[in-house]
Amino acid sequence: MRHFLRFEDITTGIALRLSITFLVIAAGLALYQVTTRFVFGVPSTWSEVITRSSMIWSVFLGVAVAFRHGAMISVDVIQNALPRRLGLSLFVIANLASLLFFTILFWQGWLMTERVVPQRLAALEVSIAWVYAALPVGSAFILVAIVASIIRALRGDWNDARNAEAEV
């Protein structure tokens, strides 16, 4: 279990850094697009597509970090009001439901990514599959984070599972 939790620390750190990178790209290109459109009067045709794609990647990678740090919408008030064992059970059940959801999203995202390979992004000659790949890739990072959260909770650090203090 210790090795898996260390693996999750590494994968979530990678997801965090990639999410930040995609967010910076999106912000920079959005600024570029506004500048070319309103300052120079010649809108960029390609920057909007990359901005949107970067935001999608940033969100799907950022969800893994949110799970790691307990920042997802949760039922903390109810969990804390219940006896510890019952609250822990509710926490684990909620995470198992999330695990099921993101497993389905991974599978469906994979199938959709394969289906759109021949399609091209508007204004670019790049397969739209690179954008759709955010679903299975992000879901893989998220699944690792959820499993680690459940492991931490079952090991007794339930609060740490929701509010992980380890540096990513």
Side-chain angles (χ1 to χ4, degrees):
M1 291 300 162
R2 186 172 43 92
H3 295 303
F4 182 81
L5 293 177
R6 180 67 187 133
F7 173 72
E8 186 267 340
D9 283 341
I10 293 167
T11 59
T12 303
I14 291 168
L16 174 65
R17 286 163 183 78
L18 287 173
S19 181
I20 290 169
T21 301
F22 280 115
L23 192 58
V24 168
I25 290 169
L29 287 177
L31 179 63
Y32 172 78
Q33 183 178 0
V34 168
T35 303
T36 60
R37 179 180 302 267
F38 295 110
V39 175
F40 300 115
V42 183
S44 168
T45 58
W46 55 269
S47 59
E48 180 182 349
V49 174
I50 298 175
T51 299
R52 195 172 339 126
S53 302
S54 295
M55 288 297 296
I56 292 167
W57 273 94
S58 181
V59 167
F60 275 96
L61 292 168
V63 170
V65 180
F67 263 105
R68 171 72 164 98
H69 291 283
M72 297 300 291
I73 296 173
S74 63
V75 286
D76 286 349
V77 174
I78 296 170
Q79 289 172 348
N80 293 333
L82 295 173
R84 181 162 174 77
R85 286 180 64 96
L86 194 54
L88 175 61
S89 298
L90 181 61
F91 178 81
V92 171
I93 289 169
N95 277 283
L96 288 173
S98 295
L99 197 64
L100 176 64
F101 173 81
F102 284 106
T103 301
I104 293 168
L105 186 64
F106 172 84
W107 180 246
Q108 292 302 313
W110 183 277
L111 295 175
M112 181 61 79
T113 302
E114 286 181 332
R115 224 180 342 252
V116 299
V117 167
Q119 297 178 16
R120 300 285 172 223
L121 282 168
L124 299 173
E125 282 304 314
V126 176
S127 173
I128 199 168
W130 286 104
V131 179
Y132 279 89
L135 275 74
V137 171
S139 294
F141 280 103
I142 295 164
L143 290 170
V144 171
I146 293 171
V147 170
S149 180
I150 292 170
I151 290 170
R152 283 189 192 91
L154 295 176
R155 284 178 52 182
D157 8 333
W158 176 30
N159 289 331
D160 290 342
R162 290 183 289 149
N163 304 312
E165 298 172 357
E167 277 299 308
V168 177

